[in-house]
Amino acid sequence: MITLVKQETFKLLHKKSTYAVSATLLIIMTIYAVLTKNYPKYWGAPQGQFVGMFTGATWIVFFMIAACSSIIAMEFQYGTIKELLYRKYYRGQILVSKWITMLLYSIYFYVLAFVWSLLLKVVLFNDKFQLSDTYQSGHSVIEAQWLGIIGTFLTVWLVLSLVLLLANIFKSTAAAISIGIIGYFALSIISNVMFLLMQKWEWLKWNPLNMMNLPQQLLSDSVHKMTLLSTPEMVCGSLVYTAIFMAISYVVFKRRSV
Amino acid sequence: MADTILNVEHLNKNFGKKQVLKDVSFSVQTGHIVGLVGPNGAGKSTIMKAVLGLFNYASGKITIDGDPVSPTSHKAMDKVGALIEYPGIYPFLTGYQHLQLFSKDSTSKDQIMDIVDKMKMDSYINRKAKTYSLGMKQKLGIALALVDRPKFVILDEPMNGLDPQANKDLRTIILDLAKQGTTFLISSHILSELEKLIDDLVVIDKGQIVYTESMANLESGGKKLLVLKTSDDAKAKDLLAQNNYQLDDGDKLAVIENDQTKMADVIKLLSDNDIEIEDVQHVHSDLETSLLNLLKNDKVKES
């Protein structure tokens, strides 16, 4: 299994896009930090930007959706899936090695964005706020950032498990990416309707889109009144949905003829 | 059964309602080069994929070196190298990186460079594969199949896109490896090329094995002809028939050769009777002719 993860990492590290994406993330974060410093009126308080890792948290979602769909779909696109599968390894191992690689990749992104946001804070906003300042609902700035990271990490993986499944079914990057991105951002569009419907039919609170509110709920307890779920319930819900999508992926991948 | 490396027994496979493999059974002797031939869509690649554990099959049994093979049982694949349909190539990796990526940890750098050298890929092995031509990709695909020096190699249309020199190089490599004990299962449409390589032949048509035979038997089964062109073919035909020579049916004047047939006697007989000989040719029925005859007879009924 370690060999397989190494091989996946080898491929990832030899793609130019891997480096381009990391550089893009840092550049975008820097731009937002500079804009926030120079035009605080338009870009809001620097604390808020810092908590969201200077929009880094959002961009990571995009990049990970693209990476997850491509790590599966590229094998079908390039015809390399046969070379991967006819070896002594089991199919399940091949798929799991890809998941592990993506998990490591997502952790890498969060660490990178976190470190860079700290750096930007020290360089640009050292006199503006302290990490220990109170931010929201009694949480300090740094606590808020960490809660945000944990919350988005869980919800991002809920989306990614769906993207991995779709890439597996459609064997195409485009389909998986579009549905993943639309799915992630559909929440903000339909959440009001969803909350209304949930008032009427309470069981709807268990739908996967509701789990996507986890980062907000971690930061402020009042969100609980909308989601109707306690925080542990949401954490479990996210994990269960992620596991379900992964399990379907696994079955689809194992049964596929190539 | 120690000397057979691959055993396929009663293999059946359906795509939906269409049965693509019907009760396919054959075996491959260790150290032999076996040709798998048949018309387009006969099921060659399907058999190869099943042997590589890429396909679920309805019923049957496949073993490589005694180990069963199925999509969930891949232990035997450790001894196998393969190129199926077209080579799978990552455009963002160089040729060398492909070999590095797919070779086993136990395969040394020298072994990698050895196959690169033999396939004459040195000049572009460190270039990104997206710049490769069709033939270069094909060579890389073959190199990937051979790099780990597997016991059993499956090549599907390996001559695709190769130039004549590369074709000859490939032939040399395959024959060398076979001499050292590597077993090959090769499919190809280029029968003239295949003929120069293979020991045994497996012919498949419409999902069924229609013929398995060693090349030696196949060659001896074919007719050898002595084709003549003379000043008076009609007279020559009569004359030869009178002298108990067997003649081939057809427009041309052709003597069916057997052990007793001597060309000198034929020439002497004709020239003694004032028939001028303009041309003499030996004609062997080649693989292509034998195969086309075989498939034309259509042993297989479409079900």
Side-chain angles (χ1 to χ4, degrees), chain A residues 11 75 83 85-87 91, chain B residues 54 72 74 77 82 88 90:
Chain A
K11 286 185 257 180
E75 307 290 358
E83 267 145 69
L85 293 186
Y86 78 63
R87 300 175 299 169
R91 280 198 181 192
Chain B
L54 294 175
T72 51
H74 269 206
M77 290 301 130
Y90 298 104

Side-chain angles (χ1 to χ4, degrees), chain A:
Chain A
M1 185 58 92
I2 291 168
T3 315
L4 288 173
V5 175
K6 269 188 195 161
Q7 287 176 347
E8 291 301 328
T9 322
F10 181 92
K11 286 185 257 180
L12 197 61
L13 291 179
H14 283 92
K15 272 184 171 177
K16 272 201 193 118
S17 59
T18 308
Y19 301 96
V21 161
S22 296
T24 310
L25 178 66
L26 299 185
I27 290 167
I28 294 175
M29 286 172 66
T30 313
I31 291 173
Y32 270 91
V34 170
L35 288 173
T36 309
K37 184 175 172 67
N38 294 338
Y39 310 98
K41 270 187 210 160
Y42 304 108
W43 300 92
Q47 291 92 323
Q49 285 289 340
F50 175 79
V51 168
M53 298 196 288
F54 303 98
T55 70
T58 312
W59 291 101
I60 290 173
V61 182
F62 282 117
F63 297 150
M64 280 310 298
I65 286 175
C68 282
S69 69
S70 103
I71 199 171
I72 303 280
M74 80 169 172
E75 307 290 358
F76 293 102
Q77 194 189 331
Y78 299 146
T80 39
I81 188 76
K82 294 180 298 245
E83 267 145 69
L84 289 184
L85 293 186
Y86 78 63
R87 300 175 299 169
K88 65 177 169 182
Y89 306 104
Y90 292 106
R91 280 198 181 192
Q93 289 181 307
I94 307 278
L95 188 64
V96 172
S97 72
K98 286 180 176 294
W99 292 347
I100 294 174
T101 309
M102 282 298 105
L103 185 66
L104 295 174
Y105 195 39
S106 64
I107 292 171
Y108 154 80
F109 267 135
Y110 279 105
V111 170
L112 181 74
F114 169 68
V115 171
W116 196 250
S117 68
L118 276 185
L119 213 72
L120 289 170
K121 189 250 169 244
V122 171
V123 174
L124 297 170
F125 306 103
N126 217 12
D127 51 342
K128 290 272 162 53
F129 66 93
Q130 299 303 314
L131 292 179
S132 52
D133 288 354
T134 306
Y135 177 68
Q136 199 180 338
S137 314
H139 298 299
S140 70
V141 172
I142 189 78
E143 271 171 13
Q145 193 194 38
W146 270 98
L147 286 172
I149 289 175
I150 293 166
T152 43
F153 189 80
L154 286 171
T155 53
V156 161
W157 265 96
L158 173 55
V159 174
L160 293 181
S161 65
L162 184 62
V163 170
L164 287 164
L165 172 62
L166 294 171
N168 215 325
I169 293 172
F170 295 120
K171 298 193 238 175
S172 127
T173 345
I177 292 187
S178 358
I179 297 176
I181 291 179
I182 293 168
Y184 190 76
F185 293 98
L187 176 69
S188 50
I189 304 162
I190 63 159
S191 58
N192 287 332
V193 184
M194 187 180 74
F195 288 143
L196 271 176
L197 291 174
M198 274 159 47
Q199 298 292 341
K200 208 167 171 193
W201 296 289
E202 210 197 314
W203 53 270
L204 273 177
K205 68 186 180 185
W206 294 107
N207 87 75
L209 279 179
N210 196 26
M211 306 301 158
M212 305 294 290
N213 291 310
L214 179 62
Q216 286 74 37
Q217 179 150 342
L218 282 175
L219 273 182
S220 110
D221 296 335
S222 59
V223 178
H224 159 69
K225 290 183 192 114
M226 314 277 278
T227 64
L228 309 177
L229 290 171
S230 71
T231 303
E233 278 173 340
M234 284 188 93
V235 171
C236 289
S238 305
L239 291 174
V240 166
Y241 273 113
T242 307
I244 290 173
F245 290 139
M246 293 290 215
I248 300 172
S249 266
Y250 192 83
V251 173
V252 169
F253 192 75
K254 277 200 98 164
R255 295 219 171 151
R256 157 150 287 141
S257 284
V258 294

